[in-house]
Amino acid sequence: MGIDVRNEIRDFLSSRRARLTPDEVGMPSFGGGVRRVPGLRRHEVAMLAGVSVDYYTRLERGSLKGVSDSVLEGLAAALQLDEDERVHLFDLARLANAGVKVMHRNVPTRVRPGVQRLLDAITGAPAWVRNERGDVVATNELGRALYAPMFAGPGRPVNTARFTFLDPAAREFFPDWAATAREAVAVLRAAAVANPCEPGLVTLVGELSTRSEEFRGWWAAHDVRVHRRGGKRIAHPIVGELQLDFEALELVADPGLTMFTYSAEPGSESERSLALLGTWAATERSERLAAVRAGEVEQDD
């Protein structure tokens, strides 16, 4: 089971066309009145991309096989795609040419010992590693403390999208829940084309589609996003609200894994709260180790 390539191409291109107006692309709108279809018409996109109307129509019907890079670049410019959307378009073209079996690769579910040592050496900032479907595969102490409600949930492996949509605690944890949730969908949509038919991703998307109406609606929008950097507002149950910046670092030696690190503005209340969270996490660890030694609880895996 996997994505339908032609449908994916068709829906992506038509959705990008529908969001643009002639004014936004500097094209006069002839005829006046209300348009029967939203956004640009096919002949307008064809004109902007420098291709014939028949050729563009074929592309939008889901046929990107054999399309040159120059045509793809023209199409990306005509539809005003951002960098993530442009990469997604080229992934769709590769998918159309190579097929899902050729593009499929295994998703890593653990990190090398050296990566875990690096995480543990980062003591002043939350840090964790996730794979492309959002499974959290490793974390440092402060990273686990920052996302404590996510790790407290029943689902395994711990997954950012599953937590966001299926755990009621997420709507309190993320004050900007709708924006966070839409972003999670866009990240999964990009991953679904970059690595089609990956069993865990297919299962995750199926589960979220079945159990969340909001996920289904946003999945149909065909928005795509790749995490590189940004901000995150968190309402932490222990230390209160945190306003953090994050950086996403791809692990070059481990394709498919990305490390996320978080920091607060120097001198801010969030920086003080993050330091307090570190103290709380260290205290929790000490108390748990003492309980393990006393035989009161079992050691974590």
Side-chain angles (χ1 to χ4, degrees), residues 233-251:
R233 192 161 68 103
I234 290 172
H236 198 278
I238 302 297
V239 299
E241 185 164 308
L242 295 162
Q243 184 69 53
L244 304 174
D245 296 318
F246 71 83
E247 298 289 337
L249 312 170
E250 293 186 7
L251 302 184

Side-chain angles (χ1 to χ4, degrees), residues 33-289:
V34 178
R35 291 189 161 211
R36 290 178 296 175
V37 295
L40 295 179
R41 295 176 174 132
R42 284 177 176 172
H43 74 270
E44 292 168 331
V45 176
M47 183 184 302
L48 291 167
V51 298
S52 70
V53 177
D54 287 344
Y55 187 60
Y56 175 73
T57 299
R58 181 168 70 84
L59 299 181
E60 194 176 288
R61 286 176 177 168
S63 180
L64 287 183
K65 191 170 184 178
V67 177
S68 68
D69 286 355
S70 61
V71 169
L72 293 175
E73 291 288 3
L75 197 55
L79 295 171
Q80 297 188 359
L81 304 186
D82 62 25
E83 181 58 27
D84 291 342
E85 292 169 331
R86 179 188 167 278
V87 170
H88 187 68
L89 176 63
F90 275 77
D91 281 342
L92 286 169
R94 280 193 291 272
L95 186 57
N97 283 283
V100 295
K101 291 183 179 179
V102 174
M103 288 185 66
H104 170 69
R105 63 182 180 276
N106 293 329
V107 170
T109 57
R110 62 187 65 186
V111 298
R112 292 177 290 107
V115 175
Q116 185 62 60
R117 288 195 298 270
L118 176 60
L119 284 171
D120 293 337
I122 303 173
T123 57
W128 46 280
V129 175
R130 79 175 192 198
N131 59 28
E132 55 198 1
R133 64 175 177 245
D135 296 340
V136 179
V137 299
T139 182
N140 67 359
E141 183 174 88
L142 196 50
R144 179 177 287 270
L146 178 64
Y147 278 85
M150 182 170 68
F151 286 96
R156 292 295 181 273
V158 174
N159 180 275
T160 54
R162 186 180 291 112
F163 169 70
T164 300
F165 280 96
L166 303 184
D167 193 328
R171 295 178 186 258
E172 295 183 7
F173 187 70
F174 297 121
D176 308 311
W177 181 85
T180 298
R182 293 196 68 156
E183 188 173 86
V185 176
V187 169
L188 284 181
R189 170 63 79 176
V193 169
N195 189 12
C197 291
E198 196 286 306
L201 181 56
V202 171
T203 299
L204 176 63
V205 171
E207 177 187 6
L208 296 176
S209 297
T210 300
R211 299 178 60 185
S212 172
E213 182 178 351
E214 288 155 314
F215 180 88
R216 288 196 302 275
W218 288 327
W219 184 258
H222 284 263
D223 292 331
V224 292
R225 174 81 186 274
V226 177
H227 271 144
R228 294 184 181 89
R229 61 185 174 84
K232 185 73 70 175
R233 192 161 68 103
I234 290 172
H236 198 278
I238 302 297
V239 299
E241 185 164 308
L242 295 162
Q243 184 69 53
L244 304 174
D245 296 318
F246 71 83
E247 298 289 337
L249 312 170
E250 293 186 7
L251 302 184
V252 178
D254 302 287
L257 291 181
T258 303
M259 180 182 295
F260 290 81
T261 59
Y262 294 78
S263 64
E265 185 73 24
S268 66
E269 187 64 32
S270 290
E271 184 184 49
R272 291 185 284 272
S273 295
L274 200 56
L276 179 61
L277 182 62
T279 302
W280 173 81
T283 301
E284 286 286 298
R285 173 171 49 83
S286 297
E287 291 178 352
R288 182 165 184 83
L289 287 175

